[in-house]
Amino acid sequence: MAPRKAPSIRQRRLAGELKRLRVAAHLKQEHVAERTGLDASSIYRIERAMNKPQRRTVLTLLDLYGVTDPDRRATLLDWLKEPGDGQPLWFHRYEVYLPDVMMLFVKLEAEAESLRVYESMLVPGLLQTEEYARAITRSVSGWPPEEIERRVQVRLHRQDVLHRSAPMRFRAVLDEAAIRRVVGGPAVMRAQLEHLATASREPGITVQVMPFSTGEYPAMIGNFVLMDFATPFDRPVVYLESSAGDAFIENEQDVARYAEFFDAISARALRPAASRTLIEEAARALG
């Protein structure tokens, strides 16, 4: 049996919008099943992006939900198509190797317009050097060498979003521990810090450091990534990564809470220029 693929960003968008339209029409899934002849379990799976619906199914649902605007209908139908048909995107070749939740994160990240990241212990993946990424992956995974190399290459490919024709806006707040912990040895860490300082000068990339002298502050309990998208129908998403498992948060109130967390820690962290100075000092201290 072929492994099930993680839903694409377009499938996820379509699923979320169909659910919102059903709720706005004050219909339960069983009511939709009764009026359309569709199976209730199929509606459930479509709304959770577990099944990709056929075009005629989407048209039937849009008619039931009263969506008559031609542009909106065209947009939703367009989400049935995959970008770059006939030209597989780079991450497709890794799809059979990565867990579904990680694959979904990679797809969301690839289409995000901007990212806000908080990291308490590590340099964010999009700003990691190859040797730093390899040292981290080797130390935390216990994977065989070929899997470690595969994960490192995925991480390096992900960094393309910072250099595409319309670069992602990237803001990161790092705890000072992330630049003080020597990962991979002094030479690897120094190269990583120098790369981080250089990247922080690029347009669209903002790096701030929360110094130890700040003491306690909001969001110390864990790392998170807040993704924003250009598409008006696609709401922001928060990604949480931990040793207990990864998770996505899409509830509007919860996402807003994480946005407040980020604003609060960004306001208390060192300004970008002062953060870069601290990063450069940490690099020089490594010899």
Side-chain angles (χ1 to χ4, degrees), residues 21-204:
L21 289 170
R22 175 180 60 77
V23 172
H26 306 290
L27 294 171
K28 295 184 178 180
Q29 290 178 348
E30 54 266 33
H31 297 153
V32 175
E34 292 171 0
R35 298 190 187 188
T36 63
L38 297 171
D39 188 87
S41 64
S42 296
I43 298 168
Y44 170 84
R45 294 177 67 84
I46 288 171
E47 290 185 355
R48 293 182 64 86
M50 298 168 68
N51 282 357
K52 184 177 180 179
Q54 295 183 344
R55 179 183 175 87
R56 64 174 179 269
T57 300
V58 175
L59 288 171
T60 297
L61 294 175
L62 295 182
D63 289 342
L64 177 62
Y65 301 153
V67 179
T68 58
D69 179 73
D71 291 337
R72 193 175 191 191
R73 289 172 70 95
T75 296
L76 296 177
L77 289 171
D78 191 56
W79 287 347
L80 286 170
K81 306 172 185 176
E82 291 302 320
D85 285 341
Q87 301 178 359
L89 299 176
W90 70 264
F91 47 71
H92 288 167
R93 66 178 177 271
Y94 296 103
E95 199 152 16
V96 297
Y97 301 109
L98 298 179
D100 280 359
V101 67
M102 184 61 192
M103 198 67 233
L104 178 54
F105 172 77
V106 169
K107 292 177 178 180
L108 290 171
E109 182 182 67
E111 290 208 15
E113 182 182 45
S114 67
L115 257 62
R116 286 170 280 178
V117 179
Y118 166 70
E119 281 280 358
S120 61
M121 298 297 292
L122 302 174
V123 172
L126 293 185
L127 300 179
Q128 291 179 6
T129 65
E130 182 172 350
E131 290 305 318
Y132 181 96
R134 184 171 290 110
I136 288 295
T137 307
R138 185 186 299 119
S139 68
V140 303
S141 66
W143 290 318
E146 62 271 18
E147 180 63 17
I148 291 173
E149 288 307 306
R150 186 180 294 124
R151 296 297 183 110
V152 170
Q153 292 309 309
V154 168
R155 184 155 301 187
L156 296 178
H157 273 300
R158 286 171 47 208
Q159 298 176 2
D160 291 345
V161 297
L162 299 176
H163 309 290
R164 62 196 182 193
S165 57
M168 169 189 290
R169 295 196 306 274
F170 183 83
R171 295 175 60 195
V173 176
L174 318 180
D175 192 284
E176 187 174 346
I179 67 171
R180 296 297 185 185
R181 183 175 299 279
V182 180
V183 172
V188 170
M189 191 64 195
R190 175 166 181 160
Q192 173 62 76
L193 293 176
E194 290 171 346
H195 175 72
L196 182 61
T198 299
S200 71
R201 297 179 184 275
E202 295 184 17

